[in-house]
Amino acid sequence: MLEHVELFFKSIFIDNMVFAVFLGMCSYLAVSKKVATAVGLGAAVIFVLAVTVPMNWLLDKYLLQDGALVWLGPEYADYNLSFLSFILFIATIATMVQLVEIVVEKFSPSLYNSLGIFLPLIAVNCAILGGSLFMQAREIETLGLAFNYGVSSGIGWFLAILAIAAIREKIRYSNVPAPLRGLGITFIITGLMGIGFQSFGGMLTGGGGGETEEANEQVIQIQQLEVVEPKEEVVEKNTEVDEKEISYNDVKK
């Protein structure tokens, strides 16, 4: 349970798709002029990530990894289809995006018209593909964690576009310098928000917390050795000097 909570908060605040790795910036900048439009696209991104990341995890686990085909028989244990990852991942994403497009057009034509070309372009949104590739690179162990990662990554992207849309609506009434109006001030605000989100990095130590403590203990031990060894050498030298003085005094007497 703890790893689920940790992964959830890390994916939203620390490894945010927009502010940490700057993925999905095209849709982020183009559809963030109004809050209502940003909410619709953000919800669609959450749904697509929540479905495609677990599906691609299953593909990677039982089809693409080295030796993943062993369930077909021992003669398939040496097969490695990882070179098909991009093709199959994109095919899965395109299928889900097409499903989202059909549902949105059916139940919310106004949202469908406001999103325009950017709704089908979710299929080539690098944040969607990045979620599946990060899942594969981080070797997420279970299907539940893969689903958690998909949902939390989508929520992180949703919060990012929602925040910038709210700011851009308010900033219309501000006296922005003429050269910075439009995308200029949006890039600056995005950079500042990225810095703010990076400050959440201290919330969770993650799986490396124990390793960090061990490393600190090793450093302390090394420092103690560095301090103790010279003291021992000084004591030995002082003993030698005392013995020489004693022997010199005996000879002198």
Side-chain angles (χ1 to χ4, degrees):
M1 184 61 186
L2 180 60
E3 58 182 348
H4 280 273
V5 175
E6 182 179 332
L7 180 62
F8 183 79
F9 284 102
K10 268 190 171 184
S11 301
I12 294 176
F13 298 106
I14 301 172
D15 298 330
N16 188 282
M17 284 289 186
V18 176
F19 299 130
V21 288
F22 296 100
L23 294 180
M25 294 297 293
C26 179
S27 303
Y28 169 82
L29 294 172
V31 192
S32 59
K33 295 179 182 179
K34 295 182 179 179
V35 171
T37 308
V39 168
L41 184 64
V45 168
I46 291 175
F47 175 80
V48 173
L49 276 171
V51 175
T52 56
V53 172
M55 289 183 66
N56 287 332
W57 183 88
L58 292 172
L59 287 175
D60 184 60
K61 183 73 173 179
Y62 297 105
L63 187 63
L64 299 174
Q65 288 183 4
D66 187 15
L69 295 176
V70 69
W71 57 274
L72 292 175
E75 64 272 15
Y76 296 97
D78 296 330
Y79 283 82
N80 185 357
L81 301 179
S82 58
F83 62 94
L84 295 174
S85 295
F86 281 92
I87 298 174
L88 293 180
F89 286 178
I90 292 174
T92 304
I93 291 168
T95 303
M96 290 301 105
V97 169
Q98 187 65 36
L99 178 61
V100 170
E101 186 177 1
I102 293 171
V103 172
V104 172
E105 185 180 10
K106 176 69 175 177
F107 295 101
S108 182
S110 59
L111 178 60
Y112 179 81
N113 293 328
S114 61
L115 291 175
I117 189 63
F118 292 99
L119 184 57
L121 282 180
I122 293 177
V124 291
N125 188 337
C126 51
I128 307 296
L129 181 60
S132 296
L133 294 179
F134 288 152
M135 171 274 299
Q136 186 184 46
R138 294 175 182 180
E139 299 179 351
I140 291 180
E141 298 178 354
T142 65
L143 182 62
L145 285 173
F147 176 76
N148 185 349
Y149 180 69
V151 172
S152 54
S153 297
I155 293 174
W157 198 91
F158 172 81
L159 289 178
I161 194 172
L162 179 63
I164 195 64
I167 292 173
R168 290 182 74 176
E169 280 194 355
K170 295 294 183 182
I171 211 169
R172 294 175 188 172
Y173 308 103
S174 302
N175 187 18
V176 180
L180 295 179
R181 290 174 185 170
L183 288 179
I185 192 66
T186 304
F187 275 114
I188 293 174
I189 294 171
T190 300
L192 294 174
M193 291 172 67
I195 295 172
F197 267 68
Q198 289 302 305
S199 64
F200 288 108
M203 287 175 55
L204 300 170
T205 57
E211 297 175 359
T212 305
E213 292 179 359
E214 293 178 0
N216 292 335
E217 290 179 359
Q218 292 177 357
V219 170
I220 292 172
Q221 291 176 357
I222 292 171
Q223 291 175 348
Q224 289 175 348
L225 290 174
E226 290 177 352
V227 172
V228 169
E229 287 179 355
K231 285 184 177 180
E232 293 178 351
E233 293 178 359
V234 170
V235 171
E236 291 178 357
K237 289 180 181 179
N238 291 336
T239 305
E240 292 177 359
V241 171
D242 292 340
E243 290 178 353
K244 287 180 181 179
E245 289 180 355
I246 293 171
S247 60
Y248 176 75
N249 291 332
D250 292 340
V251 171
K252 190 174 181 180
K253 288 178 181 180

